[in-house]
């Protein structure tokens, strides 16, 4: 069916359901629907998402490094200033200061019922004493000639160690003693062991 408009131009209506005519070459692209992102915006969002993912990954790595044992030890060292070596180690916990990492021991294999030992850290220039088979109330002592003395008591279980005694980087003589609590029927009597910088530390 053909219809006429006001300027007598004939127009043939399209059939219902028929496809819209293709745009002529050179005609502008249809404007995007309101609210839909442009291709440029979509590329920007993807770029921002990539950056955010990288930031999260880096942050996770940093947090993981802090909660590792090494990070934990570093935090303890910071909170327990001044740090070792030398005189700054005197009276400090060898584990918290990291001195136990390079430490070597002198522990006699015979005549040592309390498994008493001396520990020496060359890096920290300090010694401490340790007891492994004591009883609550027993004491362990570390004494360095001309330097100082440290004592510790077993509060539970059967082992304990003293704080450090600084000995410097030269010659030294140290003594460790296991002191049972009186009246508790200990399996050993008060005894001591001795060592020096020339001892075969292992």
């Amino acid at each position: 069916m053909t219809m006429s408009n006001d300027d007598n131009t004939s127009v043939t209506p399209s059939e219902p359901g028929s496809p819209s005519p293709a745009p002529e070459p050179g005609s502008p692209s249809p404007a995007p629907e309101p609210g839909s992102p442009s291709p440029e915006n979509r590329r920007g969002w993807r770029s921002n998402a990539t950056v955010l993912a990288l930031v999260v990954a880096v942050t996770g790595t940093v947090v993981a490094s802090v909660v590792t044992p090494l990070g934990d030890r570093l935090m303890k060292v910071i909170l327990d200033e001044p740090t070792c070596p030398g005189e700054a180690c005197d009276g400090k916990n060898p584990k918290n200061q990291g001195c136990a990492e390079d430490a070597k021991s002198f522990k006699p294999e015979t005549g040592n019922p309390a498994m008493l030992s001396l520990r020496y850290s060359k890096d920290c220039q300090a010694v401490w004493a340790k007891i492994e088979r004591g009883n609550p109330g027993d004491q362990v002592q570390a004494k360095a000639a001309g330097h100082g003395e440290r004592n510790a008591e077993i509060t539970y279980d059967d082992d304990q160690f003293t704080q450090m005694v600084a000995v410097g980087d030269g010659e030294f003589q140290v003594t460790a003693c296991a002191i049972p609590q009186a009246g508790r029927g200990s399996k050993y009597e008060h005894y001591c062991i001795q060592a020096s910088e020339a001892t075969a530390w292992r």
Side-chain angles (χ1 to χ4, degrees):
M1 173 179 171
T2 302
M3 301 179 63
S4 299
N5 57 13
D6 293 339
D7 58 1
N8 297 323
T9 303
S10 297
V11 176
T12 302
S14 59
E15 295 294 333
S18 62
S20 301
E24 297 181 4
S27 60
S29 302
E33 296 182 5
S36 62
S38 66
E40 290 80 5
N41 288 339
R42 284 195 293 268
R43 285 193 294 270
W45 291 347
R46 286 195 295 269
S47 177
N48 291 339
T50 301
V51 172
L52 179 60
L54 289 174
V55 170
V56 171
V58 171
T59 302
T61 302
V62 172
V63 171
S65 67
V66 171
V67 299
T68 60
L70 177 59
D72 184 55
R73 182 169 71 81
L74 289 175
M75 290 302 296
K76 288 180 180 179
V77 170
I78 292 172
L79 296 177
D80 200 20
E81 293 181 343
T83 57
C84 293
E87 292 298 327
C89 288
D90 197 66
K92 294 185 179 296
N93 186 312
K95 290 186 177 180
N96 289 355
Q97 294 297 317
C99 297
E101 294 184 1
D102 80 302
K104 295 184 178 181
S105 300
F106 170 64
K107 181 166 61 175
E109 296 181 359
T110 60
N112 190 9
M115 294 298 288
L116 178 66
S117 63
L118 274 162
R119 300 273 284 161
Y120 169 50
S121 169
K122 187 174 182 179
D123 286 348
C124 293
Q125 302 171 15
V127 298
W128 61 97
K130 182 178 180 180
I131 187 173
E132 298 179 55
R133 290 184 183 173
N135 299 291
D138 292 355
Q139 293 190 9
V140 58
Q141 179 186 81
K143 180 167 54 176
H147 292 279
E149 176 182 318
R150 297 294 170 183
N151 295 272
E153 181 177 313
I154 299 177
T155 55
Y156 65 91
D157 209 354
D158 58 2
D159 62 334
Q160 184 58 283
F161 61 90
T162 69
Q163 304 291 69
M164 291 184 286
V165 179
V167 294
D169 59 356
E171 297 180 355
F172 61 84
Q173 292 285 334
V174 293
T175 301
C177 297
I179 309 169
Q181 185 179 37
R184 292 291 297 269
S186 175
K187 297 180 180 179
Y188 64 92
E189 296 180 354
H190 181 158
Y191 72 98
C192 302
I193 60 175
Q194 295 182 329
S196 71
E197 80 289 344
T199 296
W201 299 92
R202 298 180 179 177

